[in-house]
Amino acid sequence: MLGSRWNAFTRGAVAGLLATGLGLAGCAAAEPTSVESGGAGTAPAASSSALPTRTGTPGLRVGVVAAGLEHVWDIGFLPDGRALVTERAGRISLLSGTAPGAAVTPVAADLSDVYVQGEGGLMGLVVHPDFAQTRRFTTCQTHAEGGDPTDIRLVTWELSPDGTAASRVADPLVGGLPINPSGRHSGCRPTIAADGALLVGTGDTARGSVPQDLTSLGGKVLRVDLATGGPAPGNPFADADNPALRLVWTYGHRNVQGVAVAPQSGDAYSAEHGPDTDDEVNRLQAGGNYGWDPSQGGTVGGYDESVPMTDLQRFPDAVPAAWSSGRPVEAISGAAFLDGPQWGELDDVLAVGALRGQKLLLMTLGPDGAVTEVSVPAPLDDTFGRLRAVRLGPDGALFVTTSNGEDDKVLRIDPA
């Protein structure tokens, strides 16, 4: 067990840590329109209030790869050791490497149609597994025509040989994801699954009927063929008449901000925002309903956030959360599994960033896939502000980006 080998630690619930001010002292406010007050909710059985929580971890070394950025939404790694990053304001940049002190070069790309508002803009990024041959990567972005927001879409790009420019080759790869003009609950995190399919976590755009509407691409995790934009083989609704439904892998989500794939099992997990209680980490099961329904079965209008994140009363077969934050929320974001012998006791631990909580949460999973322990490493506890993307690099280092709005950074984290 991880905890039995750690030296300095303090047992206690996350609620106890918050009560004593650990990790949230001096925090900025929650992300506007991302984590708002209003919902009462109920915590599933895996609530963090019942979990051992540690404030000490094996030593970590944190270095600043790049700085001077703005709301760094994602990072993707190229085969030659360089990396691409997206900024929410509508910029793509190329990092000269992944060691501290990398040079940052703008990538010329036509992003004039990106609708930058609130939580929306240029968001998630994946580099294609065959990038060495195709030079392709895919972004997730809010889209406008004539200045008016139309949808959220996935766009595939081809990077020039010298890395200075990118051109669109599939626009859109997938389109028609719902959008809120305020940008609220835009999602949108793409990740490559173990079998090569593209998993895309989406937001419900703060519309009550969207999460349970199987003809809407909002409030879902989609599973997409990266080459065609169609449904990946084996999708649970692949034979449906409705083209949107064919892409759906899971539904009943609020605002998915991270999707991570376990290196050993290939299981996928989502990280998503709760209202004023119960951020969730969910183990994704094909066709699963995760129980968020602010329309209360279509019986109320608007967006009623008093309902539970996982409403097991309305949906007895809903999938319970692998972890729930309880109150207050952390506004969890990107997520990735640590992998490799260099991580020692932390190998196979799920790392999850927090915006409001301004920390990195390290989650140990049990044999059933539920989270059994949570730790907060001191070097990433209220040190760099709001943490957005969390990605494992090809050399096994963990990369985390900040989302404070000015002088944002790409951080590299290695075992000490």
Side-chain angles (χ1 to χ4, degrees):
M1 194 70 180
L2 263 172
S4 64
R5 299 196 299 272
W6 288 2
N7 296 323
F9 66 86
T10 301
R11 284 192 178 272
V14 165
L17 287 174
L18 297 174
T20 58
L22 290 175
L24 288 181
C27 260
E31 180 160 3
T33 72
S34 268
V35 182
E36 54 290 288
S37 60
T42 57
S47 171
S48 61
S49 62
L51 294 177
T53 304
R54 310 185 189 283
T55 54
T57 64
L60 299 177
R61 183 174 67 254
V62 181
V64 177
V65 176
L69 302 166
E70 179 185 354
H71 291 301
V72 192
W73 227 99
D74 219 341
I75 179 170
F77 306 97
L78 306 185
D80 62 6
R82 295 182 295 176
L84 293 168
V85 295
T86 54
E87 296 172 81
R88 193 169 65 190
R91 290 185 290 271
I92 301 172
S93 295
L94 181 67
L95 306 184
S96 62
T98 58
V104 181
T105 303
V107 175
D110 182 5
L111 294 162
S112 59
D113 61 335
V114 174
Y115 180 75
V116 181
Q117 181 68 35
E119 299 163 39
L122 184 61
M123 297 176 289
L125 161 77
V126 290
V127 173
H128 289 207
D130 62 355
F131 180 89
Q133 291 75 45
T134 66
R135 303 194 64 78
R136 292 186 176 183
F137 63 96
T138 293
T139 57
C140 193
Q141 54 203 70
T142 47
H143 178 72
E145 294 182 3
D148 296 323
T150 59
D151 64 351
I152 299 170
R153 55 181 53 185
L154 294 154
V155 176
T156 296
W157 304 78
E158 184 174 311
L159 188 67
S160 65
D162 62 2
T164 62
S167 57
R168 302 186 189 210
V169 294
D171 180 18
L173 177 69
V174 179
L177 282 68
I179 190 172
N180 189 315
S182 71
R184 190 178 179 195
H185 294 188
S186 294
C188 175
R189 185 77 62 182
T191 297
I192 304 297
D195 62 1
L198 179 65
L199 299 176
V200 185
T202 73
D204 68 2
T205 64
R207 293 184 173 91
S209 63
V210 163
Q212 296 294 325
D213 180 358
L214 289 173
T215 66
S216 170
L217 297 176
K220 309 293 189 296
V221 175
L222 312 178
R223 186 168 175 269
V224 178
D225 185 310
L226 187 59
T228 68
N235 274 9
F237 309 108
D239 296 329
D241 291 335
N242 185 279
L245 178 53
R246 297 175 203 152
L247 300 177
V248 173
W249 185 247
T250 61
Y251 64 102
H253 300 281
R254 185 172 182 268
N255 191 24
V256 178
Q257 293 283 291
V259 179
V261 178
Q264 302 302 320
S265 67
D267 290 344
Y269 288 77
S270 66
E272 59 187 285
H273 289 172
D276 66 349
T277 186
D278 295 340
D279 287 341
E280 288 186 351
V281 169
N282 286 298
R283 187 185 189 187
L284 301 177
Q285 302 175 16
N289 181 2
Y290 288 78
W292 174 245
D293 182 19
S295 75
Q296 296 189 39
T299 62
V300 301
Y303 192 63
D304 181 2
E305 296 187 89
S306 69
V307 300
M309 270 290 280
T310 303
D311 193 340
L312 294 172
Q313 182 174 356
R314 182 175 296 280
F315 306 108
D317 295 330
V319 182
W323 174 86
S324 179
S325 67
R327 183 182 283 111
V329 291
E330 300 277 6
I332 57 176
S333 189
F337 281 88
L338 304 179
D339 183 38
Q342 72 274 25
W343 288 103
E345 301 161 354
L346 297 179
D347 189 22
D348 215 30
V349 162
L350 178 64
V352 182
L355 294 163
R356 179 179 181 177
Q358 302 193 16
K359 61 168 70 74
L360 189 71
L361 301 168
L362 300 181
M363 300 184 178
T364 304
L365 305 182
D368 63 353
V371 175
T372 58
E373 289 184 345
V374 180
S375 71
V376 180
L380 290 150
D381 184 1
D382 198 21
T383 307
F384 294 97
R386 300 156 61 81
L387 304 183
R388 170 75 68 180
V390 180
R391 297 285 194 181
L392 193 72
D395 61 357
L398 186 69
F399 293 82
V400 175
T401 72
T402 71
S403 190
N404 300 309
E406 59 181 9
D407 193 26
D408 280 315
K409 299 173 175 62
V410 177
L411 307 175
R412 178 189 173 106
I413 303 161
D414 293 280

